[in-house]
Amino acid sequence: MRILITGFSGFVSHHFLDFLESMHIKFIVLGTDKNIPLFEFTSYKNLQVSFKHADLLNKEIATELINEFHPEYLLHLASSSSVANSWRYPIESINNNLNIFLNLVDAIRLNNIKCRILSIGSSEEYGNVAPHQLPLTEENNLKPVSPYAVARVSQEMLSKIYADGYGLDIVITRSFNHIGPRQKDIFVISSFAKQLVTIANDASKPNRLTTGDISIVRDFVDVRDVVKAYYLLFMNGKSGEIYNICTGIGISLKEIINKMCFQLNIHIELLTDKNLIRPQDNKLIIGSYQKIKQQIGWAPTISIDDSLHDIISYWNQNIRAAQ
């Protein structure tokens, strides 16, 4: 199997490689990113992994990459996935989350390459919903409320057009907020964890945490469950279909902070910074994974407490190593 992974330097890609390794099957993997990966990718026993530094916003470069590698599977992870940053840099967010995808799928179309494409979307596409609309299914209307979400809806619509109109083999996800070890601290849970671990390891640090709106409720799914879902969708997902990847359980950011403080055995003071509150935000997002469970047998297996434990362990190791 020849697998092309865009957005290769991110933490989802790293976990996907770990999952492929656990399958004990020989895979040929080409990773591409505009950033150099900071993890070791050449020591896997069952994977032949190479990396190519490339800016896929350049259509010629994207086309050359597709023609040279001839992927059988494309895991499209390349994105600007921060909702907060999409408010600061909306043009860049739209370009990175839409035009890269379009360059790749059109190269596959024009060159008649037989390739299954996994188009990664987001729960942010659903927008603000009322409690009676929960849990969110794939049939819910989409009401994006951020530049990032608009880009994800646009990518999804293009995926449907290329699947239904051009006959490309594209499976689509709406992946809910995924968390886990190795995630960058620009993302909220990893950021909280890093700050709380720092407080727990340094008595001189004030026991204060500055946040935005921590009343919002999200459906957090462990990245290790997510990458298993991606693999199963490659194997058994239906072309042109959309699949939620979630847990069906909602939890507020405040509850997340309380759980991490309990694990770290610390007490903190919470301070709200209005500058960290987005112009618009989805207040409540909880999904249903019944479709993906029924069609390919996937269900989440890692609890939120276990995820938080592993995230805390990751930051403990990194912070202590840096001292």
Side-chain angles (χ1 to χ4, degrees), residues 252-270:
S252 71
L253 294 181
K254 185 176 182 180
E255 290 177 273
I256 292 280
I257 293 169
N258 289 339
K259 282 179 175 290
M260 288 194 285
C261 286
F262 178 79
Q263 290 193 22
L264 289 163
N265 193 27
I266 59 173
H267 298 277
I268 62 163
E269 177 187 2
L270 294 173

Side-chain angles (χ1 to χ4, degrees), residues 10-274:
F11 95 124
V12 178
S13 171
H14 194 175
H15 283 285
F16 187 71
L17 292 176
D18 289 349
F19 180 82
L20 292 181
E21 177 73 1
S22 74
M23 297 297 293
H24 301 287
I25 301 171
K26 298 296 182 182
F27 295 97
I28 299 171
V29 179
L30 173 62
T32 182
D33 204 303
K34 64 180 181 180
N35 300 310
I36 302 298
L38 299 179
F39 59 88
E40 175 55 55
F41 57 84
T42 60
S43 59
Y44 291 101
K45 294 181 180 178
N46 301 311
L47 310 180
Q48 179 184 321
V49 186
S50 57
F51 172 76
K52 184 166 186 178
H53 183 260
D55 181 1
L56 298 178
L57 281 172
N58 184 312
K59 185 176 181 180
E60 291 182 1
I61 291 175
T63 300
E64 181 180 328
L65 187 77
I66 292 295
N67 286 337
E68 287 182 355
F69 186 65
H70 269 253
E72 298 171 275
Y73 298 89
L74 167 58
L75 177 57
H76 181 52
L77 299 173
S79 70
S80 297
S81 53
S82 169
V83 177
N85 280 343
S86 80
W87 284 107
R88 299 185 191 100
Y89 312 108
I91 294 174
E92 291 84 349
S93 181
I94 297 293
N95 284 340
N96 284 316
N97 289 308
L98 188 57
N99 291 344
I100 289 175
F101 174 77
L102 193 54
N103 285 343
L104 292 166
V105 294
D106 211 47
I108 290 169
R109 174 184 73 88
L110 291 172
N111 292 281
N112 297 313
I113 293 173
K114 187 177 181 181
C115 175
R116 165 152 281 202
I117 301 159
L118 199 56
S119 175
I120 307 301
S122 169
S123 59
E124 292 289 329
E125 297 174 44
Y126 289 112
N128 285 320
V129 297
H132 73 269
Q133 295 176 285
L134 301 173
L136 295 161
T137 72
E138 293 82 357
E139 303 304 316
N140 276 78
N141 292 329
L142 303 181
K143 300 176 182 179
V145 296
S146 70
Y148 169 76
V150 168
R152 284 309 200 195
V153 171
S154 300
Q155 178 179 315
E156 181 178 296
M157 295 175 72
L158 280 169
S159 297
K160 292 288 289 182
I161 288 171
Y162 272 78
D164 299 340
Y166 291 122
L168 266 65
D169 186 6
I170 304 178
V171 180
I172 305 157
T173 79
R174 292 182 191 146
S175 301
F176 284 58
N177 296 69
H178 32 296
I179 60 173
R182 305 174 188 155
Q183 190 173 34
K184 293 179 180 178
D185 60 355
I186 62 170
F187 297 97
V188 63
I189 302 304
S190 192
S191 174
F192 287 163
K194 182 181 180 182
Q195 293 176 74
L196 293 172
V197 168
T198 301
I199 291 170
N201 281 280
D202 188 347
S204 68
K205 296 287 184 182
N207 283 28
R208 292 195 297 268
L209 183 68
T210 301
T211 73
D213 182 1
I214 57 174
S215 68
I216 62 173
V217 172
R218 292 290 183 267
D219 185 331
F220 291 102
V221 56
D222 192 283
V223 65
R224 292 161 291 190
D225 279 331
V226 172
V227 296
K228 182 178 180 180
Y230 290 170
Y231 179 80
L232 291 174
L233 287 172
F234 269 146
M235 297 300 104
N236 301 306
K238 295 182 179 180
S239 184
E241 290 289 319
I242 300 164
Y243 298 90
N244 281 345
I245 300 176
C246 57
T247 69
I249 300 170
I251 185 169
S252 71
L253 294 181
K254 185 176 182 180
E255 290 177 273
I256 292 280
I257 293 169
N258 289 339
K259 282 179 175 290
M260 288 194 285
C261 286
F262 178 79
Q263 290 193 22
L264 289 163
N265 193 27
I266 59 173
H267 298 277
I268 62 163
E269 177 187 2
L270 294 173
L271 304 175
T272 301
D273 182 347
K274 293 182 180 179

Side-chain angles (χ1 to χ4, degrees), residues 265-310:
N265 193 27
I266 59 173
H267 298 277
I268 62 163
E269 177 187 2
L270 294 173
L271 304 175
T272 301
D273 182 347
K274 293 182 180 179
N275 293 321
L276 297 176
I277 298 176
R278 299 167 187 165
Q280 291 192 78
D281 211 344
N282 307 347
K283 298 298 182 182
L284 188 63
I285 301 178
I286 304 171
S288 167
Y289 61 87
Q290 290 308 304
K291 179 176 179 178
I292 192 172
K293 181 181 179 181
Q294 291 167 2
Q295 291 196 10
I296 68 171
W298 178 89
T301 61
I302 302 172
S303 71
I304 186 66
D305 291 301
D306 288 341
S307 291
L308 296 177
H309 175 272
D310 292 347

